[in-house]
């Protein structure tokens, strides 16, 4: 029996990943998130195990359990889940991203920016290089959404490099 539930960002992550990947286990979802949107959206891995069950109970996904072995659960998006995801994708938003930066938090409370900046420059440079490698070697084959998101990540890392380089001096 399905019922309406409040869908959260995690709900939409599960629905979106299932639409992209097809039938998946929670572990498959965890790997997919880590290799893609985990670069800009953090969530607890446990949510990728509990949320599919919640969505299945409400009819947004189906659940199939293996008969033998580890009896893993496999989830697949339903028509109801596709409709909900499509409606959410059409909604615009003016929400700003949440910024949780440990280095900025330390500076706020009085840490010297220079030493922090040196490490932040190195970290942001490494992430920028990682994103640019992904774009160089796979960007042409990427669907528009992931490619545009990757380009946003590159722009973000360039801006953080500019910011932290200024504080490094």
């Amino acid at each position: 029996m399905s019922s309406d539930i409040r869908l959260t960002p995690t709900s939409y992550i599960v629905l979106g990943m299932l639409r992209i990947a097809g039938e998946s286990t929670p572990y498959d979802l965890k790997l997919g998130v880590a290799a893609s949107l985990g670069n800009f959206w953090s969530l607890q891995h446990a949510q990728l195990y509990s949320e599919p069950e919640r969505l299945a109970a409400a009819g947004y996904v189906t659940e199939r359990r293996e008969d033998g072995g580890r009896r893993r659960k496999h989830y697949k998006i339903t028509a109801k889940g596709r409709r909900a995801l499509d409606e959410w994708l059409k909604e615009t938003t003016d929400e700003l991203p949440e910024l949780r930066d440990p280095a900025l938090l330390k500076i706020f409370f009085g840490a010297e920016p220079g030493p922090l900046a040196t490490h932040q420059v190195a970290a942001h440079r490494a992430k920028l290089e990682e994103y640019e490698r992904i774009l160089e070697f796979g960007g042409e084959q990427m669907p528009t959404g992931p490619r545009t998101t990757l380009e946003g990540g590159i722009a973000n890392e360039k801006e953080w490099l500019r910011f932290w380089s200024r504080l490094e001096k």
Side-chain angles (χ1 to χ4, degrees), residues 116-133:
L116 286 166
T118 298
H119 291 276
Q120 289 296 306
V121 164
H124 285 285
R125 184 170 289 127
K127 185 54 88 170
L128 175 61
E129 289 170 0
E130 175 188 339
Y131 288 166
E132 288 175 334
R133 272 192 308 276

Side-chain angles (χ1 to χ4, degrees), residues 77-133:
I77 191 169
T78 63
K80 179 180 180 178
R82 283 189 295 278
R83 282 191 305 274
L85 182 61
D86 287 340
E87 289 172 21
W88 177 74
L89 290 173
K90 291 176 187 173
E91 294 174 7
T92 60
T93 182
D94 59 0
E95 288 183 59
L96 294 174
E98 182 178 321
L99 179 60
R100 295 173 55 106
D101 187 318
L104 288 178
L105 185 62
K106 289 181 178 200
I107 290 171
F108 180 86
F109 286 114
E112 268 306 309
L116 286 166
T118 298
H119 291 276
Q120 289 296 306
V121 164
H124 285 285
R125 184 170 289 127
K127 185 54 88 170
L128 175 61
E129 289 170 0
E130 175 188 339
Y131 288 166
E132 288 175 334
R133 272 192 308 276

Side-chain angles (χ1 to χ4, degrees), residues 9-67:
T10 302
S11 306
Y12 294 115
I13 288 169
V14 170
L15 293 172
M17 294 302 289
L18 289 173
R19 179 153 72 185
I20 290 169
E23 187 177 71
S24 301
T25 66
Y27 182 73
D28 296 332
L29 294 172
K30 182 179 114 173
L31 292 177
V33 166
S36 61
L37 62 93
N39 283 296
F40 64 89
W41 191 273
S42 62
L43 68 153
Q44 296 175 351
H45 294 290
Q47 292 176 293
L48 295 174
Y49 288 83
S50 61
E51 188 63 15
E53 288 183 14
R54 192 174 84 88
L55 293 171
Y60 292 94
V61 303
T62 59
E63 178 181 306
R64 177 182 65 82
R65 186 179 284 271
E66 294 175 349
D67 292 331

